[in-house]
Amino acid sequence: MKKNQKTKVISIVNQKGGTGKTTTAVNLAKALELLGYKVLLVDFDPQGSLSYYLDIEDASPNIADVLLGEANIEDALLQVSGMHVLPSNTELADLEISLANYDARESLLKEYLSRIQENYDYIIIDCSPSLSLLTVNALVASHHIIIPIPMEVLSFHGLHLIKDTVQAVKETLNPSLNILGILVVKYSPVRRITTQLLTAIQEEFSDTLTFKTKIRLDTRLIESPAYGNNIFETAPNSKGAEDYLDFAKEIIQLTKK
Ligand SMILES: Nc1ncnc2c1ncn2[C@@H]1O[C@H](COP(=O)(O)OP(=O)(O)O)[C@@H](O)[C@H]1O
Ligand SMILES: [Mg+2]
């Protein structure tokens, strides 16, 4: 473990479904682990697709039990392929409804994570496809966010809403929240639309970094969940594995300090 850095909490955010959040969370987390860091991966999507990918969707207790105060966060941690994972399932959706009645409802995740935070170098949070109270909890708990954008038609449409939400959280509950950058996924340099979309992203997010590393379109990334696993264990020589390893190195550089 690299002891001389403070824990970095990073949320993977985009309010649309199918933009590569879960794929990025799992494979960035595993790449960081392969590079020698201690990593906690948090499933914070009630649809639990991360937990489904990793074949732990029936785990009990899960993150909803923790946030309800019904289980210790330590008891919900699972060991998966060298990382710790906090599983989720549809109970988190029920929790979201009852959260509205809680005091400090935006800070619950931060409060519980803070009990174990210092055990990790990186905590990666896979967010739900919404800018709901759950996602606000993730933003309050985070130092950085990464926004994955797939190179598909109009996939960036409405993304200014993320900037507005981040700004609102910065002004109230988490002044140090930082959009680390935009991650281009399903990248295919030979498609003409790619150039158009990259230009459009640069216009829409002129004040935000687009990461140097782009995650290429790779069918091996689609297949790996079928084996309940990350790309490094299902297809270590694939483009997807190469790109997520490069991306993890870029993240390490950018979050050094
Ligand atoms: N670089 C990529 N190349 C090909 N398919 C990808 C890539 N990244 C993600 N996918 C696929 O796109 C779909 C949506 O990705 P996912 O990570 O589940 O998005 P989200 O969590 O934002 O809903 C999944 O079927 C996934 O396997
Ligand atoms: Mg997902």
Side-chain angles (χ1 to χ4, degrees):
M1 170 168 41
K2 316 275 191 299
K3 281 244 182 236
N4 50 1
Q5 74 160 10
K6 271 182 65 191
T7 310
K8 305 293 186 322
V9 183
I10 304 176
S11 279
I12 317 295
V13 182
N14 188 319
Q15 81 270 34
K16 298 195 174 186
T19 68
K21 287 181 290 299
T22 301
T23 306
T24 297
V26 173
N27 293 305
L28 171 61
K30 181 61 191 175
L32 289 167
E33 190 272 335
L34 287 171
L35 291 167
Y37 293 87
K38 289 206 76 176
V39 181
L40 169 65
L41 184 53
V42 179
D43 187 354
F44 213 48
D45 181 356
Q47 287 174 23
S49 49
L50 189 156
S51 297
Y52 178 74
Y53 273 26
L54 300 176
D55 210 11
I56 51 172
E57 76 268 32
D58 297 326
S60 174
N62 59 42
I63 189 143
D65 302 313
V66 171
L67 297 186
L68 282 167
E70 290 172 359
N72 288 326
I73 192 160
E74 292 86 350
D75 296 333
L77 294 172
L78 295 176
Q79 181 99 36
V80 178
S81 136
M83 303 175 279
H84 280 170
V85 182
L86 271 176
S88 141
N89 64 26
T90 49
E91 283 171 45
L92 193 58
D94 304 333
L95 172 88
E96 178 160 33
I97 297 165
S98 50
L99 264 187
N101 306 316
Y102 277 54
D103 292 336
R105 55 181 175 260
E106 295 95 352
S107 310
L108 270 188
L109 181 65
K110 181 189 170 89
E111 184 194 317
Y112 285 106
L113 277 183
S114 70
R115 302 181 186 186
I116 54 168
Q117 189 148 323
E118 64 179 23
N119 298 336
Y120 304 98
D121 299 308
Y122 286 94
I123 298 179
I124 308 293
I125 305 176
D126 182 24
C127 290
S128 70
S130 72
L131 294 171
S132 62
L133 190 49
L134 286 179
T135 301
V136 169
N137 262 270
L139 296 181
V140 171
S142 295
H143 303 107
H144 302 287
I145 75 167
I146 290 169
I147 307 173
I149 303 189
M151 290 295 95
E152 292 162 349
V153 190
L154 287 185
S155 58
F156 55 92
H157 185 74
L159 278 183
H160 62 276
L161 294 173
I162 298 182
K163 284 196 285 190
D164 297 347
T165 306
V166 167
Q167 195 52 38
V169 170
K170 268 177 92 118
E171 283 166 13
T172 52
L173 294 152
N174 185 4
S176 60
L177 181 63
N178 164 45
I179 301 183
L180 196 55
I182 291 178
L183 176 64
V184 170
V185 305
K186 304 191 190 179
Y187 177 67
S188 169
V190 295
R191 293 169 74 203
R192 198 174 332 139
I193 188 141
T194 302
T195 323
Q196 292 167 4
L197 286 171
L198 285 177
T199 310
I201 287 171
Q202 258 132 35
E203 279 166 13
E204 175 79 28
F205 284 87
S206 54
D207 50 356
T208 307
L209 171 81
T210 300
F211 296 112
K212 210 160 64 199
T213 310
K214 301 188 173 26
I215 311 297
R216 286 168 288 180
L217 191 69
D218 184 359
T219 51
R220 306 306 293 271
L221 284 167
I222 307 175
E223 293 159 6
S224 68
Y227 306 101
N229 225 324
N230 61 73
I231 191 75
F232 299 96
E233 282 166 36
T234 56
N237 298 316
S238 62
K239 288 184 285 182
E242 188 185 321
D243 293 346
Y244 275 110
L245 197 63
D246 285 346
F247 182 51
K249 290 176 185 163
E250 191 175 349
I251 292 301
I252 290 164
Q253 284 307 316
L254 288 169
T255 58
K256 227 192 233 167
K257 255 194 304 235

